[in-house]
Amino acid sequence: MLLSFGTALAQTDRTPYSSQGLGSMSGSALIHNEGMAGVGIASGSGLHINNVNPALLYQNSLSSFDAALKVEYKNMSKDGASASNLSGGLAYGVFAFPIINNRWSMSIGISPYTQVDYKIEEPRTVTSNDDVASLTKEGSGGLSRIHFSNGVHIYKGLALGLKATYLFGAIEDKLSILPITGDDLNLITTYTENVFYRGIVIEPAIHYALKLNNTTSLNFGAVYQPETTINAEKNISFENSQIGSGQLVSRDTILHNEDGNAVLPQKIGIGLALDKAYKYMVGVDFTMQEWENYGAYQADNASGERSNDNMLNAYTIAVGGQIIPDINSVDSYLKRIAYRAGLRYSNTPFNVEGTQITNMGITFGFTLPMRNFSSLNLSFEAGTLGTTDNNLIRENYFKAGLGISFNDRWFIRRKYD
């Protein structure tokens, strides 16, 4: 079921900046976390699956299923010109269940890991003469992930977690040359690279809760992804086709199923949160990934220094929280709703014309309670990616997410029939 679900995951992050590295990274936060800027390393709840820090899974004493849809509207501007885009689709599917109540729980799920979706066109002068051609670079695809996580309560406020993630997916980059002037104006030449990636990433995690009183605690959490080498397979083709009809004139396979690998850099995340159970939570998360140590695709038999695709180290700081006026209210539904908000700032790994691309956003969200501890979750984010300085592109975006969390008590042996 999870594999078939993965084929339906849609692109929701079209940006020219995804042309670098493996594309735009997709966080592991679920919709209820995204309503507070993705904060979740140190905070959790038994009513929602924590997909950010697996150590907190032990709090899920009920069997839970969480799935979501996302949509994004984006306006891109550069030198007075602008363009807009609307995209969306299924975001993830995650299932969690207890092994030992309040002691050990597991989860399994599927979600996007990176997304590549860009198209860049510009005129170029042919080097050997004064002829002009239109050069188009476009990319699509990305990596998906299937994760299997465990969270175990060790002693008092200490819990440990471990997430094993299988990454898989292909990224296709095309370079097309369309002649504008010259002798041969009937053919378009296309150079295509396709790389399929697959590998396993292990992420240990820890959480500690310091009790301040019976209902309030100060929480610390940390997650770690070590540097990991994943396998890859590369294909390259070269073709000429008729302009207009698209009829193929010639095609050559330059490279077929060349074995290689890529290196994912280490990632560290820490979080701090103040939590009063089912009343309020305020937290801050900081994550850093050393993309300067990223290793782009390289054949197994290749020698020499590996390229890092000009990537830079990235970090994100997020502050967010939630408040529930009265979760046990019987006369006011509005008092049982969880209200969330957050702020996020990121230095992305993308480096364009010597400028590191930044991302700033403000979020808010709600959880609408349903029967049997289930709920509808909503998140909204408005932000800006990039800048118009140095002839770059600024993207103003608005994202919305709708998730549903089912909670129920499964796997209970009947005492009476």
Side-chain angles (χ1 to χ4, degrees), residues 110 171 200 222 239 252 274 343 365 389 406:
I110 188 167
I171 296 175
I200 295 176
E239 65 181 38
D252 291 316
L274 180 66
L343 294 168
D389 296 341
F406 290 108

PDB file of all heavy atoms in Angstrom, residues 110 171 200 222 239 252 274 343 365 389 406:
ATOM      1  N   ILE A 110       5.697   6.905   4.175  1.00  0.00           N
ATOM      2  CA  ILE A 110       6.323   7.294   2.921  1.00  0.00           C
ATOM      3  C   ILE A 110       6.084   8.774   2.691  1.00  0.00           C
ATOM      4  O   ILE A 110       5.021   9.309   3.020  1.00  0.00           O
ATOM      5  CB  ILE A 110       5.780   6.458   1.743  1.00  0.00           C
ATOM      6  CG1 ILE A 110       6.580   6.732   0.466  1.00  0.00           C
ATOM      7  CG2 ILE A 110       4.295   6.683   1.520  1.00  0.00           C
ATOM      8  CD1 ILE A 110       6.319   5.742  -0.645  1.00  0.00           C
ATOM      9  N   ILE A 171      16.350  11.413 -10.871  1.00  0.00           N
ATOM     10  CA  ILE A 171      16.389  12.825 -11.236  1.00  0.00           C
ATOM     11  C   ILE A 171      16.840  12.917 -12.692  1.00  0.00           C
ATOM     12  O   ILE A 171      17.874  12.358 -13.068  1.00  0.00           O
ATOM     13  CB  ILE A 171      17.346  13.612 -10.332  1.00  0.00           C
ATOM     14  CG1 ILE A 171      16.835  13.598  -8.888  1.00  0.00           C
ATOM     15  CG2 ILE A 171      17.491  15.056 -10.822  1.00  0.00           C
ATOM     16  CD1 ILE A 171      17.770  14.258  -7.902  1.00  0.00           C
ATOM     17  N   ILE A 200      20.181   3.495   2.081  1.00  0.00           N
ATOM     18  CA  ILE A 200      19.588   3.479   3.417  1.00  0.00           C
ATOM     19  C   ILE A 200      20.295   4.489   4.306  1.00  0.00           C
ATOM     20  O   ILE A 200      21.533   4.556   4.327  1.00  0.00           O
ATOM     21  CB  ILE A 200      19.668   2.069   4.035  1.00  0.00           C
ATOM     22  CG1 ILE A 200      18.809   1.089   3.220  1.00  0.00           C
ATOM     23  CG2 ILE A 200      19.199   2.087   5.490  1.00  0.00           C
ATOM     24  CD1 ILE A 200      18.892  -0.340   3.695  1.00  0.00           C
ATOM     25  N   ALA A 222      17.153  15.796  20.343  1.00  0.00           N
ATOM     26  CA  ALA A 222      18.216  15.875  19.346  1.00  0.00           C
ATOM     27  C   ALA A 222      18.068  14.722  18.363  1.00  0.00           C
ATOM     28  O   ALA A 222      17.683  13.606  18.740  1.00  0.00           O
ATOM     29  CB  ALA A 222      19.592  15.826  20.000  1.00  0.00           C
ATOM     30  N   GLU A 239      19.880  13.247 -28.561  1.00  0.00           N
ATOM     31  CA  GLU A 239      18.956  13.049 -29.669  1.00  0.00           C
ATOM     32  C   GLU A 239      18.695  14.340 -30.425  1.00  0.00           C
ATOM     33  O   GLU A 239      18.829  15.453 -29.883  1.00  0.00           O
ATOM     34  CB  GLU A 239      17.634  12.464 -29.182  1.00  0.00           C
ATOM     35  CG  GLU A 239      16.843  13.365 -28.263  1.00  0.00           C
ATOM     36  CD  GLU A 239      15.541  12.715 -27.799  1.00  0.00           C
ATOM     37  OE1 GLU A 239      15.532  11.490 -27.540  1.00  0.00           O
ATOM     38  OE2 GLU A 239      14.538  13.462 -27.689  1.00  0.00           O
ATOM     39  N   ASP A 252      21.232   8.647 -29.790  1.00  0.00           N
ATOM     40  CA  ASP A 252      22.396   7.857 -29.388  1.00  0.00           C
ATOM     41  C   ASP A 252      22.414   7.716 -27.869  1.00  0.00           C
ATOM     42  O   ASP A 252      22.123   8.675 -27.142  1.00  0.00           O
ATOM     43  CB  ASP A 252      23.703   8.526 -29.834  1.00  0.00           C
ATOM     44  CG  ASP A 252      23.872   8.504 -31.333  1.00  0.00           C
ATOM     45  OD1 ASP A 252      23.602   7.449 -31.931  1.00  0.00           O
ATOM     46  OD2 ASP A 252      24.247   9.547 -31.904  1.00  0.00           O
ATOM     47  N   LEU A 274       9.002  24.075  26.057  1.00  0.00           N
ATOM     48  CA  LEU A 274       8.282  24.137  27.339  1.00  0.00           C
ATOM     49  C   LEU A 274       6.857  23.694  27.066  1.00  0.00           C
ATOM     50  O   LEU A 274       6.175  24.251  26.200  1.00  0.00           O
ATOM     51  CB  LEU A 274       8.310  25.551  27.913  1.00  0.00           C
ATOM     52  CG  LEU A 274       7.581  25.749  29.256  1.00  0.00           C
ATOM     53  CD1 LEU A 274       8.279  24.965  30.368  1.00  0.00           C
ATOM     54  CD2 LEU A 274       7.499  27.236  29.599  1.00  0.00           C
ATOM     55  N   LEU A 343       7.494  30.895  13.253  1.00  0.00           N
ATOM     56  CA  LEU A 343       8.378  31.644  12.357  1.00  0.00           C
ATOM     57  C   LEU A 343       9.555  30.753  12.002  1.00  0.00           C
ATOM     58  O   LEU A 343      10.051  29.993  12.847  1.00  0.00           O
ATOM     59  CB  LEU A 343       8.889  32.923  13.017  1.00  0.00           C
ATOM     60  CG  LEU A 343       7.868  34.012  13.345  1.00  0.00           C
ATOM     61  CD1 LEU A 343       8.513  35.058  14.258  1.00  0.00           C
ATOM     62  CD2 LEU A 343       7.365  34.675  12.070  1.00  0.00           C
ATOM     63  N   GLY A 365      -1.718  27.435  12.086  1.00  0.00           N
ATOM     64  CA  GLY A 365      -2.469  26.212  11.838  1.00  0.00           C
ATOM     65  C   GLY A 365      -3.444  25.903  12.945  1.00  0.00           C
ATOM     66  O   GLY A 365      -3.474  26.572  13.995  1.00  0.00           O
ATOM     67  N   ASP A 389      18.377  40.599  -5.975  1.00  0.00           N
ATOM     68  CA  ASP A 389      19.738  41.120  -6.067  1.00  0.00           C
ATOM     69  C   ASP A 389      20.588  40.214  -6.966  1.00  0.00           C
ATOM     70  O   ASP A 389      20.329  39.008  -7.079  1.00  0.00           O
ATOM     71  CB  ASP A 389      20.377  41.213  -4.677  1.00  0.00           C
ATOM     72  CG  ASP A 389      19.663  42.213  -3.773  1.00  0.00           C
ATOM     73  OD1 ASP A 389      18.929  43.062  -4.322  1.00  0.00           O
ATOM     74  OD2 ASP A 389      19.822  42.130  -2.542  1.00  0.00           O
ATOM     75  N   PHE A 406      -6.130   9.676  12.222  1.00  0.00           N
ATOM     76  CA  PHE A 406      -7.038   8.687  12.791  1.00  0.00           C
ATOM     77  C   PHE A 406      -6.348   8.034  13.986  1.00  0.00           C
ATOM     78  O   PHE A 406      -5.225   7.540  13.874  1.00  0.00           O
ATOM     79  CB  PHE A 406      -7.396   7.616  11.762  1.00  0.00           C
ATOM     80  CG  PHE A 406      -8.272   8.101  10.649  1.00  0.00           C
ATOM     81  CD1 PHE A 406      -7.761   8.275   9.372  1.00  0.00           C
ATOM     82  CD2 PHE A 406      -9.615   8.385  10.868  1.00  0.00           C
ATOM     83  CE1 PHE A 406      -8.563   8.721   8.337  1.00  0.00           C
ATOM     84  CE2 PHE A 406     -10.427   8.831   9.843  1.00  0.00           C
ATOM     85  CZ  PHE A 406      -9.900   8.999   8.573  1.00  0.00           C
TER      86      PHE A 406
END
